Amino acid sequence: MSVALSTTPATAAGTQNAIRVMVVDDAVVVRGLVSRWVEEQPGLQLVASVRTGRDAVAQVERANPDVMVLDVEMPDLDGISALPLLLEKKRNLVIIMASTLTRRNAEISLKALSLGAADYIPKPETNRGVTTSVEFRRELIDKILQLGRRAKGLSERQMRAPAPASAAAAALRPASVAASESHGRTGPFKLRPFATTQPRVLLIGSSTGGPQALTALVSQLKSLIERVPVLITQHMPPTFTTILAEHLTRAASRPAHEATDGEPIVAGKIYVAPGGRHMSITRANKAPVITLTDGPPINFCKPAVDPMFSSAAQVWGNAILAVILTGMGSDGTRGGAAIVEAGSSIIAQDEATSVVWGMPGSAAHAGLCSAVLPLDQIAQKVIRLFSGDRS
């Protein structure tokens, strides 16, 4: 058994609010590297570093972590087997599953979300890849910080300064914002009137917590999907989006698939942006079609929501309904500004039901939303809007 419990106290200002982190990975290089990253990050405190799921189960109560990075593939007791045992010992433990990009691991990671894991992170396939990947380190630390702070009850203001709205969003805000007002943890935000035109296409953007939210949402939209196309951008790597589309097919009882370049967009189908490609919409022979591009990440993401939103505004104008679900960062705000400018409407998931209220919160505070709703109320509102209700 290899167990390391940290006795290093959190530094000065961070003692009370420091996020306690436990790293579980059988690869000594990966375990040591991730542990060092945690120790070097202000606001984080490494409380344990162990080799197997069995070690983690044995030590979780003593170490008392807020966040655990849990490898999927380990000897003795793997991550998916350890997950329910860990949550049984500490119900509010935030668990981030870590796995390489194989189909099996993608399926396990998404299953873990349904069993109570908060999120997942794809690992580079080799130890050298982990060592040299700046992107992996950034994404992992961001997830630990965001999920850990929310679990400890810290506000969005304590997490970070609100992301600046795009120039387009700022320009729109004073002209046509509704009189109604709602509140999030970073203060009040204004709601816009819904567009007067009935929408003809549903766009959904999501990130952290998105797979669970998407599954719940599309399962309530079965009858609507028969009548309209649904386009989804979820921040996910390749292989993971393949599995996500299969899950959505089962949830919606309608065909969902990774979009392909040049395919027509028709009612009755769910199009999922494939991992590693940006999905946008163009016209061919006057009909909307999917366009996939291999450009650089946008908002650190590929696929990103902004290209889908911005391009859709040019194709469908005032006939769009967009939904922004749970996720870190501000992706969707710039593209959302284009949707609103074109005369269409946006609904955001509320803070209480979001795993992370980054993306929906950014759009709400930019003054782009016509409603900010709990997840279980979004489907009903969407159906009413596509049925002609404008309130």
Side-chain angles (χ1 to χ4, degrees):
M1 181 173 71
S2 174
V3 179
L5 291 178
S6 174
T7 57
T8 304
T11 57
T15 300
Q16 182 177 355
N17 289 334
I19 298 164
R20 299 169 61 84
V21 182
M22 187 173 188
V23 178
V24 187
D25 199 302
D26 66 306
V28 64
V29 172
V30 176
R31 189 169 69 249
L33 195 63
V34 172
S35 296
R36 193 180 80 228
W37 293 345
V38 169
E39 290 178 313
E40 292 174 350
Q41 177 65 40
L44 301 184
Q45 180 186 11
L46 180 70
V47 295
S49 176
V50 304
R51 178 175 175 268
T52 73
R54 195 168 302 282
D55 295 339
V57 173
Q59 296 294 334
V60 67
E61 290 174 305
R62 179 182 169 193
N64 192 29
D66 301 306
V67 178
M68 178 181 292
V69 181
L70 182 64
D71 191 24
V72 166
E73 295 182 298
M74 294 178 292
D76 194 14
L77 188 68
D78 61 23
I80 195 68
S81 301
L83 176 64
L85 302 177
L86 290 163
L87 292 175
E88 184 179 340
K89 291 202 169 191
K90 186 172 184 182
R91 290 183 58 191
N92 63 342
L93 177 63
V94 172
I95 298 180
I96 301 172
M97 306 299 295
S99 66
T100 52
L101 289 174
T102 65
R103 179 181 175 90
R104 176 179 177 276
N105 285 345
E107 289 175 335
I108 290 173
S109 296
L110 293 185
K111 179 182 178 182
L113 297 180
S114 68
L115 295 176
D119 203 2
Y120 63 89
I121 185 166
K123 291 196 305 186
E125 294 185 1
T126 65
N127 289 347
R128 177 176 174 79
V130 173
T131 302
T132 59
S133 177
V134 175
E135 178 64 21
F136 174 65
R137 176 176 181 169
R138 181 200 63 78
E139 185 177 359
L140 177 59
I141 295 301
D142 279 356
K143 286 177 183 288
I144 294 172
L145 286 168
Q146 293 279 351
L147 294 170
R149 285 170 175 163
R150 180 169 177 84
K152 290 175 73 68
L154 302 180
S155 69
E156 287 290 322
R157 186 180 298 277
Q158 289 170 292
M159 288 187 193
R160 57 166 173 79
S166 66
L172 283 166
R173 191 182 304 170
S176 56
V177 173
S180 59
E181 184 177 278
S182 296
H183 289 76
R185 287 188 183 175
T186 53
F189 50 83
K190 299 288 187 178
L191 296 178
R192 311 176 64 86
F194 276 102
T196 56
T197 302
Q198 187 170 327
R200 292 187 288 115
V201 62
L202 177 62
L203 309 180
I204 308 174
S206 54
S207 183
T208 308
Q212 308 97 302
L214 286 167
T215 300
L217 180 59
V218 302
S219 69
Q220 300 175 61
L221 295 175
K222 297 178 182 180
S223 59
L224 175 66
I225 297 170
E226 295 177 0
R227 299 185 281 117
V228 302
V230 179
L231 284 73
I232 296 172
T233 293
Q234 159 72 36
H235 296 167
M236 265 186 168
T239 306
F240 278 70
T241 47
T242 305
I243 307 301
L244 175 66
E246 294 172 0
H247 285 205
L248 295 180
T249 295
R250 291 192 290 270
S253 301
R254 301 297 305 173
H257 67 283
E258 287 182 302
T260 59
D261 190 51
E263 73 170 307
I265 299 171
V266 297
K269 292 185 178 181
I270 301 172
Y271 303 82
V272 178
R277 306 287 296 277
H278 292 306
M279 180 172 73
S280 57
I281 299 91
T282 56
R283 285 193 179 277
N285 298 321
K286 298 184 179 181
V289 298
I290 297 289
T291 298
L292 300 180
T293 58
D294 194 24
I298 298 172
N299 303 315
F300 300 105
C301 304
K302 188 177 177 182
V305 178
D306 276 342
M308 179 178 72
F309 278 8
S310 298
S311 60
Q314 297 178 25
V315 171
W316 284 294
N318 63 357
I320 299 167
L321 180 61
V323 176
I324 302 178
L325 299 176
T326 172
M328 292 194 298
S330 61
D331 191 25
T333 296
R334 185 176 296 276
I339 284 177
V340 170
E341 189 172 24
S344 290
S345 301
I346 297 173
I347 296 173
Q349 185 176 350
D350 75 350
E351 185 174 10
T353 63
S354 295
V355 174
V356 177
W357 205 56
M359 287 168 50
S362 175
H365 288 292
L368 300 176
C369 299
S370 297
V372 177
L373 299 172
L375 178 62
D376 62 2
Q377 295 180 23
I378 293 177
Q380 180 182 10
K381 186 66 174 179
V382 167
I383 292 170
R384 287 172 55 195
L385 290 168
F386 273 93
S387 299
D389 186 352
R390 303 272 67 84
S391 60

